[in-house]
Amino acid sequence: MASLKSEYRLALEAGAQALEAALSGLDARGALKRCLTDIFPGESCIVSSFGTESAVILHMAAEVAPDVPVLFIDTGKLFSETLRYRDALRDRLGLTNIQTLSPSPHDLAADDPDGTLHARNPDLCCHVRKTLPLIRALRPYKVWVSGRKRYHGGERARIPRVEIQDGKLKLNPLVEWSADDLRAYGRDHALPDHPLLARNYPSVGCVPCTAPVAADESDPRAGRWAGQDKTECGIHIGADGQVRRSRAG
């Protein structure tokens, strides 16, 4: 039976395989350097939430390509601590090209005029405030870098180092790292913690949809949309365009 995949999709899959092969044998820093400076210079970017685990990959990026575009989405509902942490890491690491994205005023007027969409339809809220701004900002790039790790579990337990999303290649350099690996790297390089980490926020998103977790909670994302059948904002979706759930509902 003839393949129903488009030529563009086939080319993307070939590109993903080629990138994976080019990164074979490299550690996270080496893979990041090869992608940003050797294979896709000027055609790659990093997407960062400046959350509790963001400093590691940003530190690596600052060492190999301090002028790489770092796309940061300010939804308008972030913790003030996250905004201060973004500025602190920028200054500490010497990143020179942080680009802060915002939701379209027209989208907000149409779908969230009173700012309470998160309570009625959290998936649509994330789509308007996070996914759409990112899709627009990614248009000039061929590949984007994410900080996702398999140790977060659920669907993330099976993510590859190189994947395809929204017509782009996506690199996850830290895919095999554990929480202990991240902490050790942070200590070795004296990286500052997100201010909310000490207040039992192991994962930080928007204020209305993020809660602290119990000290003995094993799921680092347990405080995100707690009590709801939602664990992903929609930025990280599958090849079929569906939002992936990290935990059972």
Side-chain angles (χ1 to χ4, degrees):
M1 181 178 177
S3 173
L4 298 179
K5 295 180 180 178
S6 68
E7 291 185 3
Y8 183 63
R9 177 70 190 190
L10 291 171
L12 274 176
E13 292 179 356
Q17 293 171 2
L19 180 57
E20 182 62 57
L23 304 181
S24 178
L26 297 176
D27 62 10
R29 184 182 184 280
L32 191 64
K33 181 179 187 301
R34 182 162 293 179
C35 179
L36 297 181
T37 67
D38 299 337
I39 305 176
F40 293 103
E43 298 178 313
S44 53
C45 66
I46 293 175
V47 176
S48 178
S49 67
F50 285 82
T52 57
E53 295 182 347
S54 296
V56 170
I57 200 165
L58 292 172
H59 179 267
M60 292 179 182
E63 287 192 327
V64 303
D67 61 344
V68 64
V70 177
L71 308 185
F72 167 73
I73 307 168
D74 182 355
T75 64
K77 292 185 175 293
L78 297 181
F79 287 88
S80 60
E81 288 89 344
T82 296
L83 299 177
R84 292 198 298 271
Y85 190 54
R86 172 201 57 190
D87 296 343
L89 282 182
R90 177 198 61 204
D91 297 342
R92 162 74 170 78
L93 301 178
L95 293 164
T96 63
N97 195 6
I98 295 176
Q99 301 178 15
T100 298
L101 317 178
S102 300
S104 161
H106 300 291
D107 291 340
L108 292 178
D111 292 311
D112 195 13
D114 62 356
T116 63
L117 182 61
H118 64 274
R120 304 188 307 274
N121 190 336
D123 281 334
L124 181 57
C125 185
C126 288
H127 184 71
V128 169
R129 292 181 177 273
K130 300 182 76 171
T131 307
L132 288 179
L134 180 60
I135 289 174
R136 293 170 183 136
L138 285 174
R139 285 172 182 162
Y141 305 104
K142 291 184 178 179
V143 60
W144 58 290
V145 177
S146 161
R148 293 199 300 167
K149 278 84 52 182
R150 290 177 185 150
Y151 95 87
H152 285 170
E155 290 289 340
R156 296 189 179 203
R158 296 182 290 277
I159 58 175
R161 180 161 63 164
V162 178
E163 56 185 327
I164 298 170
Q165 182 180 326
D166 295 332
K168 310 285 184 182
L169 298 182
K170 182 175 170 185
L171 173 64
N172 305 302
L174 303 181
V175 66
E176 296 181 344
W177 283 47
S178 68
D180 288 342
D181 294 331
L182 295 167
R183 285 191 288 267
Y185 188 99
R187 288 194 301 268
D188 290 346
H189 297 277
L191 299 179
D193 286 334
H194 191 294
L196 292 177
L197 188 61
R199 291 162 53 186
N200 294 329
Y201 287 84
S203 180
V204 177
C206 292
V207 173
C209 302
T210 307
V213 302
D216 59 351
E217 172 60 62
S218 61
D219 184 350
R221 293 178 61 80
R224 304 291 295 277
W225 305 284
Q228 302 182 46
D229 181 24
K230 178 177 173 62
T231 59
E232 296 284 357
C233 63
I235 286 177
H236 305 293
I237 58 177
D240 59 2
Q242 298 300 308
V243 176
R244 297 309 191 195
R245 304 299 189 187
S246 294
R247 304 186 300 272

